[in-house]
Amino acid sequence: MAPTIPAVDLRMADLERLVDRTRHAPLTKDEHATLKAAIDTLGYVAQLLEQKGTTLAELRHLLLGTQTEKTRDVLARAGVDVDAPPRPSVESPDAAAEPQRAPRRRGHGRHAADAYSGAAHVAVPHPQLHHGDRCPLCITGKVYAQRDPRLLIRLRGQPPISGTIYELEKVRCNLCGEVFTADPPAGVGPEKYDPTTGAMIALLKYGSGMPFHRLERLQADLQIPLPASTQWEIVDDLAARIRPILAELIRQAANGEVVHNDDTSMTVLDLQRPGAPRGDPDDVSPDRTGVFTSGIVATRDGHRVALFVTGRRHAGENLARVLAERTADLGPPIQMCDALSRNLPKPLAVIVGHCLAHARRHVVEVASSFPAECRRILETLGAVYRRDGEARAQGLSPEARLTHHQTHSGPLLADLHVWLTAQLADHLVEPNSSLGQAITYLLNHWTPLTLFLRQPGAPLDNNLCERALKKAILHRKNALFYKTPNGAHVGDLFMSLIHTCELEGVNPFQYLTALQRQADALAANPTAWLPWTYQDALAAAAAV
């Protein structure tokens, strides 16, 4: 049985001083308990590492516990009485009139019927009564059909990929020997794999992170065999047929008003082999060995486009290639990213905003050591996010949202800036301390961090892109790697389409199926087959 290890809040510098103290004097009871807990932890972690099934996530949970970055939880872990009133500070003009918000409770209500938009609808007429018939209860009245029927929802399971065997009767002439075979039923195509097959495989693999070999085992258990190699051939062929839509998505993203970008590491086996190409010699250094998946999310005319690009280029380089497609008469877009220089699309002009959530995370990480100071920063930023939530709930235009933030968030952040500057200028915080570094980050990037106070439509953070990158991280966690650059490009295409559908509230399975069935029309006019336009294109094709 694993030993029970008490939780001890201990920094590495404290542990080093404790070990050094053992050379000169006996340890106190508390010091002995602290050192013993550290040794027990080291021994336990060593045991876990010897076990084949131990994961990094399990070790992180063991050592750090399950944590969130919500202000209330962060401050509670730091020992702050979150119910006590905060330190006085400059507030917005109407802050005194705001009622105290009660904490919201999580609900577990059932899904309404309209949430099942992908379900088939079956109309069931009453077996005995019809519109205008006499009421069987009172005899005198008449019954009339109600506008809203009673809704009965029933769900059923089925294999991800199902199959049908058509037994086509054959007859043979006893004289001439000619064999006559029945024709397949109407709607049965010449291909073994229906377009829905490729759509489902792509959705499971690149949308839900199910590796090919895992789906192969599942299909074998369900007695509908589908080898992993066959799955790859299907999605590779599908990607080639619908590739024109990716070029159109890139064009839409290039003309976006706001673009978010970031990247995460990825593994492509063929790029790690000795002598593997380092990428395009024109714009990638031959000394670069890293491989990344860049995520780009652009907003344009109320629509959002997600793009994924895997290779040796950083996020800024990939964004520069996208923005090279931008229409010449459009002004520079707003770019939202963190403060890493590799995220900038050099040398293209953009209006740069930096992620406020990223800056906040630096404060969260040191809250346990500086609870009072961090509380002031976190609660001020929390008030700014509440103002942004109000603007979103009211459906304010970008210009009205800007005025809203300038009126309500501007005074709060101005006061915070004065306070942050004083912490360093008056030597209240050591600049090289963890809190000092967090404050320095805020002050050094204050202008791009507060872009939303000057530029209409500027977002507060880069969370939209970070959520998009979870697609790539899910693939990395389950499939571990891509084998070839072509496999990575296929994955990028499907992740781009699937996540764009999710952002637009479009069913990605139906969308991928429609693109296959209308591949010729897609090649002729990709603009008509975007996730938010393809339904109109389908209706127009059906009307011809």
Side-chain angles (χ1 to χ4, degrees), residues 15 147 163 176 190 228 336 429:
L15 183 59
R147 183 187 63 180
C176 68
M336 172 52 63
V429 174

Side-chain angles (χ1 to χ4, degrees), residues 337-473:
C337 60
D338 59 41
L340 286 176
S341 61
R342 72 186 195 187
N343 289 330
L344 297 177
K346 306 166 186 176
L348 300 179
V350 290
I351 303 172
V352 179
H354 285 166
C355 177
L356 201 59
H358 193 83
R360 180 184 180 276
R361 196 166 295 129
H362 289 295
V363 180
V364 168
E365 292 171 353
V366 301
S368 60
S369 301
F370 305 92
E373 294 85 351
C374 291
R375 179 180 188 180
R376 177 160 188 159
I377 301 173
L378 294 176
E379 290 186 340
T380 300
L381 297 181
V384 172
Y385 271 89
R386 284 196 295 274
R387 294 303 185 184
D388 200 59
E390 293 170 359
R392 188 166 50 250
Q394 296 172 21
L396 299 182
S397 66
E399 292 73 19
R401 173 179 173 269
L402 173 62
T403 302
H404 186 74
H405 270 303
Q406 288 174 338
T407 302
H408 302 294
S409 303
L412 294 174
L413 290 173
D415 175 68
L416 179 62
H417 187 271
V418 170
W419 183 83
L420 292 172
T421 304
Q423 299 304 298
L424 299 181
D426 298 343
H427 305 290
L428 301 175
V429 174
E430 169 59 41
N432 291 329
S433 68
S434 53
L435 178 60
Q437 293 174 2
I439 291 176
T440 300
Y441 182 94
L442 280 162
L443 293 176
N444 286 347
H445 303 288
W446 189 261
T447 298
L449 285 171
T450 58
L451 181 65
F452 62 93
L453 293 177
R454 300 179 301 279
Q455 183 70 33
L460 268 64
D461 54 47
N462 200 31
N463 289 350
L464 185 63
C465 187
E466 292 190 4
R467 286 193 294 268
L469 280 175
K470 288 182 178 180
K471 284 285 182 204
I473 295 170

Side-chain angles (χ1 to χ4, degrees), residues 53 77 80 119 130 231 303 316 349 434 437 470 490 493 502 507:
R77 288 196 299 268
V80 176
H130 304 85
Q231 296 174 48
H303 300 292
S434 53
Q437 293 174 2
K470 288 182 178 180
V490 170
L493 182 148
E502 292 173 346
N507 186 320

Side-chain angles (χ1 to χ4, degrees), residues 197-435:
T197 302
M200 180 54 70
I201 295 173
L203 191 57
L204 290 173
K205 166 72 171 176
Y206 303 108
S208 300
M210 177 177 280
F212 290 142
H213 68 86
R214 195 172 300 167
L215 179 57
E216 176 183 4
R217 290 200 301 267
L218 175 60
Q219 289 293 135
D221 290 341
L222 299 174
Q223 300 179 356
I224 307 288
L226 189 63
S229 58
T230 302
Q231 296 174 48
W232 164 247
E233 291 173 358
I234 292 172
V235 297
D236 188 33
D237 177 69
L238 169 56
R241 296 173 61 193
I242 66 174
R243 191 165 295 278
I245 195 62
L246 180 61
E248 180 60 24
L249 283 181
I250 292 174
R251 191 183 71 82
Q252 294 288 329
N255 293 323
E257 296 110 12
V258 181
V259 290
H260 303 248
N261 72 316
D262 202 352
D263 58 23
T264 186
S265 61
M266 187 55 67
T267 299
V268 180
L269 294 184
D270 279 4
L271 295 182
Q272 293 184 336
R273 304 184 193 282
R278 296 299 181 195
D280 281 349
D282 296 336
D283 56 2
V284 176
S285 168
D287 297 327
R288 186 179 297 177
T289 58
V291 178
F292 313 91
T293 291
S294 298
I296 300 172
V297 181
T299 60
R300 181 192 182 194
D301 299 332
H303 300 292
R304 293 181 289 184
V305 175
L307 298 174
F308 294 85
V309 186
T310 299
R312 296 198 183 277
R313 297 184 185 88
H314 291 304
E317 295 165 335
N318 287 318
L319 180 59
R321 291 166 69 91
V322 170
L323 293 180
E325 305 291 328
R326 189 173 180 85
T327 303
D329 58 351
L330 292 177
I334 298 171
Q335 182 197 359
M336 172 52 63
C337 60
D338 59 41
L340 286 176
S341 61
R342 72 186 195 187
N343 289 330
L344 297 177
K346 306 166 186 176
L348 300 179
V350 290
I351 303 172
V352 179
H354 285 166
C355 177
L356 201 59
H358 193 83
R360 180 184 180 276
R361 196 166 295 129
H362 289 295
V363 180
V364 168
E365 292 171 353
V366 301
S368 60
S369 301
F370 305 92
E373 294 85 351
C374 291
R375 179 180 188 180
R376 177 160 188 159
I377 301 173
L378 294 176
E379 290 186 340
T380 300
L381 297 181
V384 172
Y385 271 89
R386 284 196 295 274
R387 294 303 185 184
D388 200 59
E390 293 170 359
R392 188 166 50 250
Q394 296 172 21
L396 299 182
S397 66
E399 292 73 19
R401 173 179 173 269
L402 173 62
T403 302
H404 186 74
H405 270 303
Q406 288 174 338
T407 302
H408 302 294
S409 303
L412 294 174
L413 290 173
D415 175 68
L416 179 62
H417 187 271
V418 170
W419 183 83
L420 292 172
T421 304
Q423 299 304 298
L424 299 181
D426 298 343
H427 305 290
L428 301 175
V429 174
E430 169 59 41
N432 291 329
S433 68
S434 53
L435 178 60

